[in-house]
Amino acid sequence: MKEVIDFFRRLHDNNTREWFDANRAEWTRVKGRFADFTGQLIEGIASFDPTVRGLRPQDCTYRIARDTRFSNDKTPYKNYIGAYIAPKGKKSGYAGYYFHIEPCADSLVWCNLLSAGAVCIEPTVLRSIREEVLDNGAEIEAAVKKAKGFRLCDNNKLKRVPTGFPADSEYAEMLKLKDFYIEQPITEEFLLAPGLLDRTVEEFRRTQPFIAILNRAIQYAYEEMK
């Protein structure tokens, strides 16, 4: 991971097409190393969550080029790299496990981290998850608690409980969420210490009950939409 971190630290400071083209061979090596790690991580997660078995690294990783069409930030490349390991791949809409490296985070929101859950959720799916919260809020809370070291992220939430859900629910704050995921920031020491793969798999193992609950609700929504 040292080579990965060093590359993205320098890319952060030299985010131009000219610099990237001059260092493309290094990027090819970094991308290959990260793909190898992602493949091993998929296998590790599949040992306790068989719904991700058979995924390939390319099913779980992203292009480094940014889409700048609708952004004021016109830098051409992402300053981070990540792998989202979810049933049927990164575009499936299912909740999954996300491994993120961003050594020069420019905000308080993102950094090197592990997270588990779902974001950018379709309205029908989000409603199904909220109904799951109403029906099984205690189970969700227990799953979050079991994922020791992770916290339920509430950065993206409504100001009020959404229409159609009881404002006086004991799970009102959870019902306001627009994304449903738990996260754990990690240090460079975590990334560089021996045994990264095994430690990461063990961290994610504790999040599996949370993922299972979300995907139960997501699957129900998909069946309704057929």
Side-chain angles (χ1 to χ4, degrees):
M1 285 298 162
K2 186 177 188 307
E3 188 174 2
V4 177
I5 292 168
D6 288 347
F7 177 83
F8 279 94
R9 182 165 280 129
R10 288 186 294 116
L11 177 59
H12 176 272
D13 295 335
N14 303 276
N15 199 330
T16 65
R17 298 186 191 282
E18 294 76 16
W19 184 90
F20 191 85
D21 286 341
N23 292 272
R24 190 174 291 276
E26 183 181 358
W27 163 240
T28 299
R29 289 197 306 274
V30 165
K31 182 169 66 171
R33 289 187 184 278
F34 192 78
D36 289 344
F37 177 82
T38 300
Q40 295 175 68
L41 186 57
I42 292 168
E43 290 182 9
I45 293 173
S47 70
F48 62 81
D49 186 345
T51 65
V52 305
R53 185 167 292 133
L55 292 173
R56 305 165 300 168
Q58 57 264 43
D59 299 324
C60 306
T61 51
Y62 302 85
R63 297 173 63 238
I64 193 171
R66 295 181 62 249
D67 183 352
T68 62
R69 291 173 299 171
F70 309 106
S71 173
N72 292 327
D73 178 3
K74 299 301 181 183
T75 51
Y77 303 105
K78 299 169 185 173
N79 295 322
Y80 58 86
I81 190 168
Y84 182 59
I85 300 170
K88 301 183 181 180
K90 62 196 175 192
K91 296 181 179 180
S92 67
Y94 285 96
Y97 310 85
Y98 183 57
F99 178 88
H100 182 94
I101 296 179
E102 187 172 358
C104 298
D106 290 325
S107 74
L108 298 176
V109 177
W110 294 106
C111 58
N112 303 315
L113 62 81
L114 308 177
S115 68
V119 299
C120 302
I121 306 169
E122 294 181 9
T124 301
V125 174
L126 184 56
R127 181 172 185 84
S128 183
I129 293 174
R130 285 172 171 157
E131 288 171 348
E132 187 75 29
V133 170
L134 271 187
D135 294 341
N136 298 295
E139 184 184 357
I140 296 173
E141 288 183 338
V144 173
K145 187 175 181 179
K146 186 173 183 179
K148 187 176 179 181
F150 289 80
R151 72 171 188 94
L152 186 64
C153 187
D154 61 357
N155 293 327
N156 187 16
K157 63 187 296 187
L158 301 170
K159 292 183 178 180
R160 297 181 179 84
V161 172
T163 301
F165 292 89
D168 60 351
S169 168
E170 61 181 306
Y171 306 114
E173 292 306 309
M174 205 184 301
L175 290 170
K176 295 176 186 178
L177 296 177
K178 297 168 71 176
D179 297 323
F180 279 82
Y181 68 95
I182 53 179
E183 65 176 4
Q184 176 187 162
I186 54 175
T187 63
E188 283 194 22
E189 287 77 15
F190 180 97
L191 292 170
L192 296 176
L196 172 63
L197 177 65
D198 290 342
R199 285 183 285 110
T200 302
V201 169
E202 288 311 304
E203 293 296 326
F204 279 141
R205 186 188 300 273
R206 294 198 294 274
T207 71
Q208 189 275 333
F210 179 74
I211 292 292
I213 296 168
L214 290 183
N215 281 337
R216 181 173 69 200
I218 292 169
Q219 180 63 33
Y220 185 77
Y222 284 170
E223 290 173 357
E224 278 198 323
M225 288 189 285
K226 287 181 180 178

